[in-house]
Amino acid sequence: MIVGGGLRRATRRGVRLLRADDPETGWLVRIVLSALLLWAWLYLTPPGAEVRPVLAAALACWVVFLLTDSRWPRLARGALALVTLSAATVAGVPDDASALIFVYAGLFTFVLLPRMPMAAILALTGAVIAVLTIVLWFSGRGPTAMLTQPVLIAVLVLFSLHRREYRLRAEQTALLLEQTSRTQQAQARAAALDERTRIARELHDVLAHSLGALGVQLAVAEAQLGEQGDVVGATERIRRARRLANDGLAEARAAVAALRTDVPPLPRALGDLVAGFRTDHAATITLRTEGTPRDLPSGAEVSLLRTVREALTNAARHAPGAPVSVALDYRGPRTRLIVENPAPDPAGTRPGPGGHGLTGARERIALVGGTLEAGVVDGAWRVTAEVPS
């Protein structure tokens, strides 16, 4: 059982190595080529003294190439070039195929080596063709052999170059896909961090404003009860504190909802917001969109939504029952949002700074590069917000 388990582990390891190996220049191909060269030298080489020593030297250069390829690539390339050239010098011997096997194996491996300069490939190919042509001419092999062998060498090199180019493109494509994937992951992380920062800012604004105002109202109510005995005034402060608590709870729920769902397109989100206010406050609110809607940064859309919510809340508080109009304008270079309702004091003509809620809205709009103005214009209270598109 121990022997069987060890055999299975060795088999699995061999399969993993085989799958990870390069199918053209890996260790398996080199083992096969080494066996082929050794077989050619032992059984195909004619007994002539001028061939066997040269091919033996070529075989030794092949061994040097195998041993030095990973650590000394320049030495390995030189040894492989010597394999090809030395075999080409004896390729003209009649009835001898072993030298050509050395030439083809060495040249094929040389061309397919990773990061092999094109100049070195062309130089070795030209040298092999020249040496092979001279050797065949001196051997009297005739014009057919002198033409056929260089053509075969050229075809082998062209095929190998084609495979090399295909492999390089495949590697570049894989590298590009990996870089693209890393870039997308980095962008996704940056977007997630930006969204978390925005949500954290929204929650901070809601809690800081609501709890701070709530604390002030309760402190005043406590002073009115304890020091002045003003039950009526304290009751009014408590009612105001309860309204602040309800408003803060609604704002907090809206901010938390943004963590769970994506922000819908701005026109649809405004429609949902206006519909909710119509139902909750029994108010007449009109909404119109002008121009072609376009996508805005999420921070800008959320800031505009918060501005509309604050403006509608103020309208319901200071001018209950009065009609309100909301206009979203995409026609200019900047997206503009206008909320307008009849002013409680139509005589005022100078825009006022607004309350704490509008101050927070103005700060949020400024964070996304926009502006917000609020005040009385032509007898109506108007809130105008603009953000870059």
Side-chain angles (χ1 to χ4, degrees):
M1 293 182 65
I2 296 177
V3 175
L7 182 61
R8 285 193 297 271
R9 288 193 296 271
T11 302
R12 287 195 296 267
R13 182 179 180 184
V15 171
R16 286 195 301 269
L17 291 176
L18 183 61
R19 290 178 177 177
D21 189 44
D22 191 313
E24 294 177 352
T25 60
W27 61 270
L28 182 61
V29 174
R30 294 181 181 183
I31 289 177
V32 172
L33 288 178
S34 300
L36 177 63
L37 296 180
L38 182 61
W39 173 78
W41 182 71
L42 290 176
Y43 298 103
L44 292 184
T45 305
E50 72 280 5
V51 177
R52 293 186 67 87
V54 174
L55 295 186
L59 190 59
C61 291
W62 175 264
V63 174
V64 171
F65 160 71
L66 294 179
L67 296 178
T68 60
D69 185 35
S70 59
R71 299 186 61 182
W72 300 290
R74 292 186 178 180
L75 177 60
R77 293 172 184 177
L80 190 58
L82 288 177
V83 172
T84 308
L85 288 174
S86 59
T89 59
V90 293
V93 176
D95 301 326
D96 177 26
S98 59
L100 291 176
I101 292 177
F102 275 79
V103 171
Y104 293 151
L107 193 57
F108 175 78
T109 305
F110 189 86
V111 175
L112 289 182
L113 280 178
R115 296 177 295 278
M116 176 61 69
M118 182 62 67
I121 294 175
L122 296 179
L124 180 62
T125 303
V128 169
I129 291 177
V131 170
L132 192 59
T133 302
I134 294 173
V135 168
L136 291 174
W137 182 70
F138 275 107
S139 301
R141 299 290 297 274
T144 301
M146 293 175 59
L147 180 63
T148 301
Q149 292 301 331
V151 169
L152 291 177
I153 293 294
V155 170
L156 173 66
V157 172
L158 289 176
F159 172 77
S160 302
L161 287 176
H162 175 74
R163 290 297 305 166
R164 181 174 182 264
E165 185 67 20
Y166 174 80
R167 287 163 55 87
L168 288 177
R169 290 184 179 180
E171 292 175 359
Q172 292 174 355
T173 302
L175 181 60
L176 180 61
L177 289 175
E178 182 180 358
Q179 293 176 347
T180 303
S181 177
R182 292 179 179 177
T183 302
Q184 291 176 346
Q185 292 176 1
Q187 291 175 346
R189 286 194 297 268
L193 290 175
D194 181 68
E195 188 69 9
R196 290 176 182 177
T197 302
R198 181 183 65 82
I199 296 299
R201 185 172 62 247
E202 292 294 321
L203 287 175
H204 175 268
D205 291 346
V206 170
L207 295 178
H209 173 65
S210 300
L211 293 181
L214 182 62
V216 170
Q217 296 298 325
L218 291 177
V220 174
E222 181 182 9
Q224 288 176 330
L225 284 176
E227 299 176 3
Q228 304 173 8
D230 185 1
V231 178
V232 176
T235 303
E236 179 59 29
R237 294 289 181 177
I238 292 174
R239 290 195 184 111
R240 188 176 300 177
R242 185 177 63 183
R243 287 196 300 269
L244 288 172
N246 292 334
D247 292 343
L249 181 60
E251 298 260 346
R253 286 174 177 173
V256 171
L259 284 171
R260 299 181 177 178
T261 58
D262 293 333
V263 178
L266 184 57
R268 192 177 74 186
L270 283 177
D272 295 340
L273 181 61
V274 168
F277 264 83
R278 286 197 193 106
T279 302
D280 296 339
H281 298 274
T284 302
I285 306 175
T286 59
L287 172 64
R288 70 179 187 274
T289 301
E290 299 175 347
T292 303
R294 52 180 175 262
D295 292 334
L296 298 177
S298 60
E301 292 189 349
V302 172
S303 298
L304 291 177
L305 284 173
R306 294 291 300 276
T307 300
V308 174
R309 181 184 293 113
E310 183 65 30
L312 292 178
T313 301
N314 290 339
R317 181 178 304 164
H318 300 292
V324 183
S325 66
V326 180
L328 180 61
D329 190 356
Y330 287 102
R331 291 176 298 180
R334 294 165 68 88
T335 301
R336 176 181 297 178
L337 184 67
I338 300 176
V339 182
E340 190 174 75
N341 62 278
D345 182 13
T349 58
R350 294 174 61 90
H356 294 292
L358 287 179
T359 300
R362 184 178 290 107
E363 292 173 352
R364 283 190 292 271
I365 291 291
L367 287 175
V368 296
T371 60
L372 186 146
E373 297 179 357
V376 178
V377 179
D378 297 333
W381 180 263
R382 180 181 298 172
V383 176
T384 304
E386 290 186 354
V387 295
S389 301

